[in-house]
Amino acid sequence: MRLILAEDSTLLREGLLRLLAEEGHDVVAAVGDGEALLAAAEVHRPDVVVTDVRMPPTHTDEGVRAAVRIRENWPEIGVLVLSQYVEKRYAAKLIGGDGGRVGYLLKDRVAQVGEFLDALERVAEGGAAFDPEVVRRLVARTSHEDALGKLSPRERGVLEKMAQGHTNAGIAELLYISQSAVEKHVNAIFDKLDLPQAAGYSRRVLAVLRYLGS
Amino acid sequence: MITYAARTAAGVGLGALTTLAELPYVLLGTPLLAVPTPRRAVLRGARVLAEVERARLQRFLDAPNGDDYDGRRALQYLALRALVGLLALGVWACVGAGVLVAVFYARQLVTGRAPGGQGAGTVAGWLLITLLAAIAAYLCAQGIAGVATLDRRLARRFLGPSHRDLLVRRVSHLATSRAQVVEAVNEERRRIERDLHDGVQQRLVALGLLLGRARRTDDPDLVRQAHEQSQEALRELRDVAWRVYPIALDESGLDAALESLAERAALPVELRYEPAEPLPPALATVVYFVASESVTNATKHAGATRVTIEVRRADNGRNVVVEIADDGHGGARIGGTGGFAGLVRRVAAADGEFTVNSPDGGPTVVRAVLPCD
């Protein structure tokens, strides 16, 4: 796929470039700040942009702001944000659209090369990818609430995987259960959480996440 | 001693002359205050006259005062000051009279006549006259000294900061510097956080990335790179920890910490450390950070090729001076963010003075003077 990479640390930028090239992706531009990212996105219209959150000049949330702008201007471009921390505000900002084509990973996740590439694929295909850590935080934070308390441990596990953006097939594989079992759990979760069933799995992830993060 | 007495006498004499301007000014100007139009001009003029007095006191009577007063206060001062001036005039009149009498007696003595009479003078008579002259001279000197003291006190009372003002100033200074210390600490924490994230964490992520790639491709060269990367990450971590707090400060004192700073610097640093007695720990920390921040600035921004750090005691051991000079292209400014702003706060919190002298084209001299008692 065609990618733009925004990361101010040269060391990491080089490493990611190499990795993505080895995987056969085409990195059309590699930049070091939010402004340059927007400019490059406008010119190249890549499939996905991968961006760091903290970049010059202020080292606060340039990456997220650029990502939100890209989501607004060119919805067909997928966005994968790499953050130093779990920042709920940022995650919420990204989810704020119609959902899909977004990812929010902890930066350290890049070192789990397989997971990182997997997340990238999911975003490129129109799905979502949220860091397990983000999901865990959100789930943990709301676990005392009644609705979630109703879920069985198995359902909770499925919800977690779901929230990370995995498809039913993917969840089945990860939890070593059949796909129909997963579907059953998912329906049970929707029932218990009072959520109308949506068509696309990305939207269902976002619905769940929204609920958890509300 | 002689010059001091002469200056005091001259100062009081001048004061006697200025009163000739002040007295009419006060007498004519005060009623004019009731009229709105000339009021401002009167008050401005009062300030001018008061400034003349201030200059006279500073120049002749070693009594510097602040110029932090308004026209109204100046006029009040002049009213009282004119009276002191009259006193000065009186004292000088006595001095003048004394001089005339002395001249008269000297003539009597030279012509061999009695002091004040027509006959021949006796030794006893002259001794008595000498004694009286000495007493008169002493009284005149006391008069001059007294007027000078009055003059000083009056000016201090009206023009100088009052004791209460000084206290208020001190308290507000302390409040400001306290807030600044908190701000400086926060700023440092932010910097540490950035150091950890933009340095150490990035390196570790890059290391993980290398290892991840190595596992996917089985390329031994990637493993080698990863190994190097891990060494780099460790070095970075050590540096950050050292920047957070150089532990050598506590263990082996300021000079050792500064030596270590010089060794670690990217360019040659010459260290001249004089104080034989160890400095108090809080002070040593400030000196250390002034030095380390300045060396960092010289390395990063000044394009310097060498730096000297000098630490010495000054003013009979009352102060410690730390001076960092580099041969870079100068142009360093205290304003804004950057390392200097934090240093200003740190030094201010220790009641010290911080200056940066850095003309464009260099060289740069950063100097902090810190009281140590």
Side-chain angles (χ1 to χ4, degrees):
Chain A
M1 63 181 90
R2 293 170 70 252
L3 294 167
I4 291 181
L5 193 55
E7 162 65 62
D8 56 322
S9 149
T10 356
L11 190 69
L12 208 50
R13 199 163 61 209
E14 287 304 309
L16 281 168
L17 273 174
R18 293 262 167 75
L19 169 71
L20 294 166
E22 279 165 16
E23 291 297 317
H25 296 304
D26 178 16
V27 181
V28 290
V31 297
D33 64 78
E35 291 296 317
L37 170 58
L38 280 172
E42 186 163 20
V43 174
H44 297 288
R45 301 295 167 87
D47 301 318
V48 179
V49 301
V50 179
T51 177
D52 182 15
V53 172
R54 291 165 58 152
M55 287 190 289
T58 64
H59 288 274
T60 50
D61 61 350
E62 280 81 357
V64 169
R65 275 188 285 136
V68 171
R69 287 280 300 282
I70 290 172
R71 304 279 313 125
E72 286 167 1
N73 296 350
W74 310 286
E76 73 282 2
I77 300 180
V79 169
L80 179 58
V81 174
L82 304 176
S83 172
Q84 314 270 29
Y85 305 106
V86 174
E87 274 273 11
K88 247 190 63 211
R89 278 179 311 130
Y90 297 162
K93 265 187 191 166
L94 287 168
I95 297 166
D98 59 342
R101 291 192 195 284
V102 284
Y104 182 92
L105 291 186
L106 275 185
K107 203 164 200 176
D108 310 358
R109 198 65 55 191
V110 171
Q112 314 283 344
V113 174
E115 283 184 43
F116 168 67
L117 292 169
D118 187 39
L120 197 58
E121 295 287 348
R122 285 212 303 275
V123 171
E125 285 164 14
F130 286 88
D131 197 282
E133 190 58 35
V134 177
V135 177
R136 199 163 302 132
R137 286 274 188 93
L138 294 175
V139 172
R141 213 177 45 77
T142 51
S143 62
H144 59 275
E145 289 175 18
D146 289 350
L148 279 177
K150 289 184 208 159
L151 300 184
S152 70
R154 184 46 112 189
E155 283 162 355
R156 192 181 283 267
V158 171
L159 175 63
E160 231 178 79
K161 292 284 172 262
M162 216 167 71
Q164 286 168 28
H166 290 285
T167 59
N168 285 356
I171 297 175
E173 210 170 300
L174 288 165
L175 298 180
Y176 306 110
I177 52 180
S178 71
Q179 209 169 317
S180 61
V182 173
E183 277 162 22
K184 212 168 69 213
H185 286 308
V186 170
N187 287 330
I189 290 168
F190 280 146
D191 284 347
K192 285 184 181 176
L193 296 189
D194 229 4
L195 288 168
Q197 195 169 355
Y201 62 83
S202 70
R203 254 185 315 172
R204 118 192 138 165
V205 168
L206 299 176
V208 171
L209 261 182
R210 258 193 214 137
Y211 174 82
L212 293 175
S214 65
Chain B
M1 183 67 210
I2 300 285
T3 55
Y4 175 80
R7 271 177 44 217
T8 305
V12 171
L14 268 179
L17 295 178
T18 53
T19 206
L20 299 176
E22 284 160 7
L23 201 55
Y25 189 89
V26 171
L27 291 177
L28 295 173
T30 312
L32 280 178
L33 286 184
V35 190
T37 322
R39 184 182 298 154
R40 284 189 53 190
V42 168
L43 293 178
R44 247 207 315 276
R47 232 196 100 91
V48 171
L49 281 174
E51 281 296 293
V52 170
E53 288 297 353
R54 209 166 65 83
R56 176 179 66 86
L57 287 162
Q58 188 154 349
R59 173 76 189 74
F60 291 96
L61 302 183
D62 301 327
N65 284 300
D67 57 353
D68 185 17
Y69 58 92
D70 58 5
R72 196 164 287 279
R73 199 162 175 77
L75 198 60
Q76 291 168 354
Y77 165 68
L78 290 179
L80 289 166
R81 158 59 223 161
L83 298 179
V84 176
L86 287 178
L87 203 54
L89 213 50
V91 172
W92 268 103
C94 289
V95 172
V99 169
L100 287 177
V101 171
V103 169
F104 168 76
Y105 280 125
R107 265 188 43 207
Q108 295 287 77
L109 186 61
V110 171
T111 52
R113 277 176 288 192
Q118 297 297 327
T122 60
V123 174
W126 279 113
L127 273 178
L128 184 66
I129 289 296
T130 313
L131 189 66
L132 287 172
I135 289 170
Y138 171 77
L139 285 176
C140 283
Q142 278 303 322
I144 287 177
V147 170
T149 305
L150 263 178
D151 232 354
R152 284 195 198 104
R153 282 204 184 158
L154 196 64
R156 158 93 26 209
R157 168 92 182 64
F158 278 89
L159 309 183
S162 70
H163 184 62
R164 189 170 158 281
D165 285 346
L166 284 175
L167 275 178
V168 168
R169 254 179 234 184
R170 176 74 186 145
V171 168
S172 79
H173 168 77
L174 284 177
T176 314
S177 69
R178 189 182 64 167
Q180 286 184 331
V181 172
V182 173
E183 185 47 43
V185 168
N186 283 341
E187 206 170 280
E188 271 161 26
R189 290 195 167 188
R190 272 195 289 275
R191 202 183 60 189
I192 293 161
E193 193 268 353
R194 239 210 313 272
D195 277 353
L196 284 172
H197 269 309
D198 299 353
V200 181
Q201 194 192 14
Q202 308 282 34
R203 282 203 185 280
L204 288 174
V205 173
L207 169 65
L209 197 57
L210 274 171
L211 287 170
R213 283 168 59 206
R215 282 178 61 186
R216 288 167 85 83
T217 58
D218 269 338
D219 182 348
D221 188 50
L222 285 177
V223 176
R224 187 187 56 76
Q225 283 181 36
H227 187 238
E228 277 171 18
Q229 194 66 261
S230 72
Q231 304 297 315
E232 281 295 323
L234 275 174
R235 224 191 327 272
E236 184 100 32
L237 185 61
R238 259 203 311 273
D239 275 354
V240 171
W242 180 267
R243 278 201 296 272
V244 172
Y245 193 84
I247 206 72
L249 260 183
D250 295 347
E251 287 175 356
S252 27
L254 178 60
D255 48 346
L258 287 174
E259 261 167 39
S260 172
L261 172 74
E263 285 159 18
R264 303 162 73 91
L267 40 124
V269 175
E270 186 191 338
L271 174 65
R272 286 198 290 275
Y273 186 89
E274 279 176 20
E277 305 282 307
L279 302 179
L283 195 63
T285 312
V286 178
V287 171
Y288 176 84
F289 278 108
V290 169
S292 86
E293 198 60 52
S294 305
V295 170
T296 305
N297 274 332
T299 314
K300 271 194 191 163
H301 310 298
T305 60
R306 53 178 306 104
V307 181
T308 52
I309 302 175
E310 188 179 356
V311 183
R312 62 177 188 274
R313 282 187 185 267
D315 312 314
N316 301 329
R318 275 203 315 274
N319 290 325
V320 170
V321 178
V322 54
E323 214 166 68
I324 301 93
D326 70 59
D327 61 353
H329 50 62
R333 299 286 173 266
I334 287 183
T337 51
F340 282 148
L343 289 185
V344 171
R345 297 193 184 112
R346 260 183 186 273
V347 173
D351 278 334
E353 283 169 33
F354 181 80
T355 51
V356 174
N357 183 353
S358 182
D360 287 337
T364 300
V365 178
V366 178
R367 189 157 186 269
V369 183
L370 297 146
C372 62
D373 30 36

